[in-house]
Amino acid sequence: MTVAGEFSLAAVLPLLGMLATLAASWGIVRFQAAQHDKRIARLDERCEALGKELAEFKVEAVQRFVSDEALAKVESRISDGFNRLADRLDRLVEATPRRTPRS
C-alpha cells in the first residue's frame, strides 16, 4: 500500500514515530525546564533573604562588637589606672613609718 504515490506506509510510520518521539521529548524538556525555573526562582528568593539577614547581622555586629581601636583605648585606660594605683600604693608604703624590731 502506498501513500501519496511513492511513499509506502512502512516508510511513513517510522517517520511519524520519530516525530512523536521528538514531540514527547520536547514536552519533557520543556516541563523539566519549567521545574528548574521554579527551583531557581526559589533559590533566588532564599539568596535574597540570606543577603538581608547578613546585612542585618553586619549592622548588629557593628553596634554590638568593639572595634580594635576602641579596645586598645580601653586597654590603655585600664593599664594607666593600674599604674596610677601601683604608684599610690608605693607612695603609701614609703610614707608609713617602719617599725623597729624589739630586742
Side-chain angles (χ1 to χ4, degrees), residues 57-67:
F57 173 77
K58 286 180 178 181
V59 168
E60 180 182 346
V62 167
Q63 293 171 347
R64 257 177 105 184
F65 301 126
V66 177
S67 69

Side-chain angles (χ1 to χ4, degrees), residues 53-95:
E53 286 181 31
L54 179 61
E56 290 171 3
F57 173 77
K58 286 180 178 181
V59 168
E60 180 182 346
V62 167
Q63 293 171 347
R64 257 177 105 184
F65 301 126
V66 177
S67 69
D68 291 339
E69 182 181 326
L71 183 60
K73 286 180 182 178
V74 169
E75 181 182 7
S76 175
R77 288 176 55 199
I78 290 172
S79 178
D80 291 344
F82 279 130
N83 289 336
R84 286 192 307 271
L85 182 60
D87 290 342
R88 288 179 192 160
L89 289 173
D90 287 342
R91 286 193 305 265
L92 181 63
V93 168
E94 290 171 1

Side-chain angles (χ1 to χ4, degrees), residues 11-26:
V12 172
L13 285 178
L15 289 175
L16 290 175
M18 288 181 359
L19 285 174
T21 302
L22 285 174
S25 296
W26 182 80

